[in-house]
Amino acid sequence: MRRLAIAAMGIVSLAQAQVVVPFASPLDRLMVFQEGRFVEVDARPPKRSFPMKGALLYQDASGGLGYYTAESGKTRWLVREGVDDVQAVGDRAAWRLNDSLFVLRSGSAVRAATGVERFKVSDSLLVYVDSLKHELVVIHRNQRTAIATVEKGSLLPQWTQGGNTVTFYDRSQRKLSLFHHGKLRVLTEDADVGIAVNGMDIVGYWDDVRDEFMGLARTGEQRLSGLKPIDAKAGNGVLAFVDGTLKLKVWAGGEVVQLTDSMPAQFWVKDRVVLYLWGGKLMCWTSGKLIEVEPYVPEQWAVKDDLLVYLDINRELRGILAGERVRFGREANVDGFQLVGDAVLYRSPTGFTTVVYRGRSYTF
């Protein structure tokens, strides 16, 4: 293993606690990079892996679920037999074993419910359908809250969720409701349809009564448009939408900002970054700044928080962090990369597995 200093302006401003970076070694062993060290975790590569801060949850080839912590340097086996539908977001994880729902809590498997048909994990929430009690249930801060009744044999109500937010439309009562930070409220009544998009502490929804597209964020509630959205997406405190004017707009709790004067080819919202294709270019809105990423569409890009990483036309790794441009070394012809937490993982053209973390390049 060797370590090289590189230019990567502003990288040290990212979160201090590192998400471990998993990869397979040339000998097909499961390795992790954590705080400047490479450590072997398992003699075989995993079926799936879920990086966390200081830990790694992974499913082995037989379907068992292991939990490795950098502090102990060991793997604790949560489940030895095969599990179903493992989901993990950040440090929150859940899975089903038959019809029982388990959650990861303090490094251990804890049964949260039985008779679970469907569930979904987001940053701070676990939502599931309890087929025994016929309820739609939210687990928030280890507290169970039933937020709707589900008719027997029905898939209703449908729900969408983000960080700290769950919206659901109850067709029988024609109500669109919101669960946010442990509290339940009705967004709109007498609604023909339930249109809502959820992000981290931000929600956009169509108010059928007032015929308005509304936004709800930490700053309060605000009218965003008098036209129904054609498409809308939400991230961490950021909402982007195209309404009947065919213009792409963005809202982060303050003034609605217009980004285009006609329909973009595509647009995405991830964490605190809005990306869209415009005139053959990749454009980026982040930290209140509108930036032309490149005058072409990069082959690959990824976003975490307010960091965008992409391969440029020479297949060199570049990025934009909080609106400022950064570089990740000067190697060209990089085949591809992964953004894991605030670290960039790629296979160097020289054959080394390379991790760029806090302005330094580590190779294995």
Side-chain angles (χ1 to χ4, degrees):
M1 189 267 286
R2 59 193 180 94
R3 184 177 69 182
L4 299 174
I6 67 167
M9 182 180 63
I11 295 299
V12 293
S13 67
L14 291 172
Q16 294 302 305
Q18 191 206 343
V19 175
V20 302
V21 182
F23 64 95
S25 74
L27 297 177
D28 256 357
R29 299 178 185 273
L30 173 59
M31 308 289 298
V32 296
F33 170 85
Q34 209 271 334
E35 298 294 350
R37 298 186 304 121
F38 291 94
V39 179
E40 182 180 319
V41 173
D42 200 299
R44 297 176 297 173
K47 182 179 177 181
R48 300 175 69 194
S49 60
F50 306 91
M52 299 177 173
K53 291 181 181 178
L56 179 70
L57 180 71
Y58 68 96
Q59 193 171 13
D60 68 6
S62 62
L65 204 58
Y67 183 69
Y68 167 85
T69 61
E71 183 178 6
S72 68
K74 298 178 181 179
T75 296
R76 174 190 297 178
W77 287 98
L78 305 175
V79 186
R80 283 290 186 179
E81 55 191 299
V83 298
D84 301 314
D85 194 15
V86 183
Q87 297 181 30
V89 178
D91 293 329
R92 180 177 291 274
W95 60 92
R96 278 193 306 114
L97 184 58
N98 300 319
D99 70 340
S100 293
L101 179 65
F102 289 83
V103 297
L104 178 67
R105 190 175 298 164
S106 300
S108 299
V110 177
R111 192 197 305 267
T114 56
V116 174
E117 295 178 351
R118 295 177 291 146
F119 74 96
K120 186 178 179 181
V121 175
S122 59
D123 297 75
S124 58
L125 300 171
L126 172 62
V127 183
Y128 67 91
V129 175
D130 188 327
S131 62
L132 300 178
K133 296 183 178 181
H134 309 297
E135 294 174 333
L136 180 67
V137 179
V138 176
I139 294 180
H140 175 253
R141 294 183 176 177
N142 299 331
Q143 296 297 313
R144 180 188 187 277
T145 303
I147 60 175
T149 299
V150 181
E151 295 180 11
K152 189 174 182 179
S154 172
L155 294 178
L156 301 177
Q158 300 294 330
W159 79 89
T160 59
Q161 71 190 81
N164 298 328
T165 63
V166 178
T167 54
F168 63 94
Y169 176 62
D170 192 328
R171 188 165 295 163
S172 64
Q173 299 187 38
R174 295 169 55 82
K175 290 182 180 180
L176 179 67
S177 301
L178 168 70
F179 179 90
H180 184 219
H181 281 300
K183 297 181 179 180
L184 186 64
R185 58 168 285 192
V186 175
L187 293 176
T188 180
E189 299 187 67
D190 196 26
D192 291 328
V193 293
I195 299 176
V197 291
N198 295 63
M200 173 70 80
D201 290 321
I202 194 166
V203 175
Y205 69 95
W206 177 251
D207 189 324
D208 252 358
V209 176
R210 294 187 292 185
D211 281 338
E212 294 177 334
F213 185 51
M214 303 294 296
L216 183 64
R218 291 177 178 175
T219 54
E221 199 165 11
Q222 183 175 327
R223 178 186 183 276
L224 304 181
S225 176
L227 299 173
K228 190 172 292 186
I230 296 172
D231 194 5
K233 298 178 173 69
N236 187 347
V238 178
L239 173 68
F241 64 95
V242 175
D243 61 14
T245 66
L246 302 184
K247 298 171 182 176
L248 177 62
K249 302 173 183 179
V250 64
W251 181 67
E255 181 184 356
V256 176
V257 178
Q258 180 180 315
L259 299 182
T260 68
D261 55 13
S262 61
M263 187 83 170
Q266 285 181 278
F267 76 96
W268 304 265
V269 180
K270 179 68 168 67
D271 292 346
R272 295 194 287 269
V273 177
V274 178
L275 290 163
Y276 62 97
L277 302 183
W278 183 251
K281 305 173 183 178
L282 180 63
M283 305 294 294
C284 167
W285 185 91
T286 181
S287 302
K289 300 177 182 179
L290 181 59
I291 301 168
E292 178 184 299
V293 179
E294 293 290 351
Y296 53 86
V297 180
E299 181 178 336
Q300 182 188 356
W301 67 80
V303 171
K304 176 63 178 175
D305 296 330
D306 53 1
L307 172 64
L308 164 69
V309 181
Y310 66 95
L311 284 175
D312 71 7
I313 199 167
N314 297 317
R315 304 178 72 91
E316 294 182 24
L317 281 164
R318 297 178 182 267
I320 295 174
L321 174 64
E324 302 296 331
R325 294 189 181 273
V326 298
R327 295 193 66 167
F328 300 90
R330 297 184 179 275
E331 286 190 292
N333 299 317
V334 174
D335 286 339
F337 70 93
Q338 296 177 52
L339 181 56
V340 185
D342 53 1
V344 180
L345 170 71
Y346 69 96
R347 180 63 60 87
S348 167
T350 59
F352 293 103
T353 295
T354 305
V355 178
V356 181
Y357 176 62
R358 292 186 185 172
R360 292 186 178 275
S361 178
Y362 301 81
T363 59
F364 178 84

